[in-house]
Amino acid sequence: MQRWKLTLEYDGRPFVGWQRQDNGPSVQQTLEEAIERLSGETVRVHTSGRTDAGVHALGQVCHFDLEKPFTGLKLRDALNFHLRPAPVAVLQAEAVPEDFHARMTCLGRSYVFRIVNRRAPLALETGRAWHVMRPLDAEAMHAAAQVLVGQHDFTSFRASLCQANSPVKTLERLTVERVGDEVRVHAAARSFLHHQVRNMVGTLELVGAGKWSADDLRRALEARNRSAAGPTAPPDGLYFVGARY
C-alpha cells in the first residue's frame, strides 16, 4: 500500500464544493471516481482544506492510499486522462510516507481573492473573479486589513454554519495589492473559519469604496457578531493557492 500526495488545480464552477454531497458533483467525488476507473480500487481522498461551491484551486493538496503500483509521473498522467472532461488537473503526484496527512499535518494554508475593478463587464473572467464596478482604493484596503492580522476572535467573519470548535484564529498575512484593473487580496493562516476569507473581503470592499474606515473594521472585529461586519463576497474570486507542510 502506497500513500500518494496530489497537488490539484480546478475550476470550482461546476462543483458543489470539494466534499461529496447529494445535491451535485463535487471535486472529491470526481477525483475518487477517476482513481477507481484507473486502478479498480475504491479509495477515500483526504484534502488539506475543503472549498465551497464555486471556489477554485491553484494548488489544492490531497492524499489517498493505493495498492496498485505506479510512478508519480504515470499516476499524474493517467489520472488526468480519467478526469476528462472535468475541469480538474493533477499538477503533481508524489509518493509520501504513511504518516503524511493532507489535513492533519498541514502547517498553513493560503488563498487569493481576485476582484476585477472596472466599469466594463467581464468577458473572460465571469465566474473566475468578483466584478466590482465602483472604484476601490487598494491602499486603504491594505492598511485596514492589518487590523485583522494576528490572533483574534473572528466571530464577526464566521459563517453561521461554521463547525469549528473555536472562533479564535491566527491570521498570518492579509495583504491587498492592485495590478492594473485587478485588486488581489492574499490571506494566509494555519486554518480558516467557514467563509472567513470571503467575509473579510466583503468587508474590505466597503473600505475600498470609502464606505468604511479602518476604525469601522476594528469595531466590527471587536463586536464578535457576524451582523457587525460586511457582506460575504461571492465565491467566484476565491482561489485556494497552496498548503504548507
Side-chain angles (χ1 to χ4, degrees):
M1 185 75 74
Q2 175 63 58
R3 178 154 295 185
W4 289 97
K5 171 189 173 187
L6 301 184
T7 303
L8 306 176
E9 174 184 278
Y10 54 81
D11 181 340
R13 289 178 293 175
F15 302 110
V16 296
W18 165 270
Q19 191 172 21
R20 274 184 178 265
Q21 298 179 49
D22 296 331
N23 61 328
S26 67
V27 180
Q28 181 184 24
Q29 176 186 347
T30 301
L31 180 57
E32 288 175 350
E33 290 177 351
I35 295 169
E36 186 170 6
R37 285 193 295 272
L38 169 63
S39 65
E41 300 175 39
T42 301
V43 304
R44 174 72 181 274
V45 177
H46 302 268
T47 185
S48 57
R50 292 178 293 181
T51 50
D52 291 331
V55 176
H56 317 293
L58 302 174
Q60 179 67 273
V61 175
C62 62
H63 85 264
F64 61 93
D65 297 328
L66 207 59
E67 292 185 4
K68 188 173 181 179
F70 285 94
T71 64
L73 292 177
K74 184 176 180 180
L75 181 61
R76 180 199 63 189
D77 294 345
L79 280 179
N80 283 330
F81 173 83
H82 286 283
L83 282 166
R84 296 172 186 162
V88 181
V90 179
L91 304 180
Q92 189 173 22
E94 305 171 73
V96 291
E98 62 179 12
D99 61 351
F100 173 86
H101 195 287
R103 183 173 67 87
M104 302 301 293
T105 61
C106 184
L107 300 177
R109 298 159 176 86
S110 59
Y111 289 85
V112 64
F113 195 104
R114 300 176 56 224
I115 302 172
V116 175
N117 185 213
R118 70 187 192 196
R119 292 288 302 175
L122 302 184
L124 300 178
E125 298 288 0
T126 300
R128 295 195 177 111
W130 183 16
H131 182 210
V132 175
M133 291 190 292
R134 60 185 180 181
L136 296 178
D137 184 340
E139 292 184 1
M141 293 169 69
H142 174 78
Q146 305 320 299
V147 168
L148 302 177
V149 175
Q151 187 179 79
H152 303 286
D153 181 325
F154 282 98
T155 296
S156 297
F157 302 92
R158 178 184 190 179
S160 60
L161 298 178
C162 181
Q163 298 177 355
N165 293 328
S166 170
V168 176
K169 295 291 180 182
T170 301
L171 190 60
E172 298 169 2
R173 177 191 181 200
L174 189 62
T175 60
V176 183
E177 63 174 345
R178 175 177 285 278
V179 182
D181 287 339
E182 192 170 315
V183 175
R184 299 173 185 167
V185 182
H186 302 271
R190 186 179 183 92
S191 62
F192 291 88
L193 300 168
H194 190 204
H195 285 179
Q196 182 181 345
V197 176
R198 290 169 59 189
N199 291 336
M200 292 190 302
V201 171
T203 306
L204 286 172
E205 193 272 343
L206 296 175
V207 175
K211 302 292 184 180
W212 276 38
S213 67
D215 287 338
D216 292 324
L217 183 61
R218 187 185 305 277
R219 283 191 287 269
L221 174 67
E222 293 173 350
R224 300 180 183 180
N225 188 319
R226 177 67 192 97
S227 64
T232 304
D236 308 35
L238 185 57
Y239 293 74
F240 186 100
V241 174
R244 178 168 54 87
Y245 294 92

